[in-house]
Amino acid sequence: MIGAGPAGLFAALQLMENGFKPIVIERGKDVKNRRRDLAAINKEHIVNPHSNYCFGEGGAELIPTGKLYTRSTKRGDVTKNTGTFVAHGADENILIEAHPHIGTNKLPKDH
């Protein structure tokens, strides 16, 4: 698997549930270290080409908003996905909200 954003992580989870042992490869850094690189972009205008808004654990939406978002008008049943987030500490309200929002500050456990 390539990428540790939501799509890559959920694809890896699906593969594991079907008996496979995927390897997830991510170009960027983990959440904690990625936050430092983003601070350098915003404060010092220094961009790490391997760890920025586009690359790193959690994907592109992790840092800006923490929102669970899809452009699909036929997204189908997403309760398995939101249930997975709740099982790992997200607020249960994301199970019923039309536009679920976890919150960037709540996604990484080591913040």
Side-chain angles (χ1 to χ4, degrees), residues 68 82-83 85-86 89-102 106:
L68 306 175
T82 53
F85 281 112
V86 169
D91 189 298
E92 290 185 7
N93 286 333
I94 69 167
L95 299 174
I96 57 172
E97 292 175 345
H99 299 286
H101 182 254
I102 294 176
K106 297 179 183 176

Side-chain angles (χ1 to χ4, degrees), residues 21-101:
K21 295 180 180 180
I23 295 171
V24 178
I25 299 170
E26 172 57 57
R27 176 180 177 176
K29 295 180 181 178
D30 60 48
V31 173
K32 186 176 181 180
N33 290 309
R34 185 175 175 208
R35 283 183 168 184
R36 291 184 188 119
D37 292 333
L38 295 179
I41 293 171
N42 296 326
K43 294 176 184 173
E44 303 165 28
H45 307 288
I46 298 171
V47 178
N48 179 334
H50 303 289
S51 180
N52 51 56
Y53 284 104
C54 295
F55 304 108
E57 182 181 40
E61 281 302 308
L62 171 72
I63 302 301
T65 64
K67 290 180 182 174
L68 306 175
Y69 179 74
T70 177
R71 292 183 185 175
S72 173
T73 57
K74 299 177 184 178
R75 66 184 189 169
D77 185 9
V78 296
T79 56
K80 180 179 178 185
N81 294 353
T82 53
T84 300
F85 281 112
V86 169
H88 289 90
D91 189 298
E92 290 185 7
N93 286 333
I94 69 167
L95 299 174
I96 57 172
E97 292 175 345
H99 299 286
H101 182 254

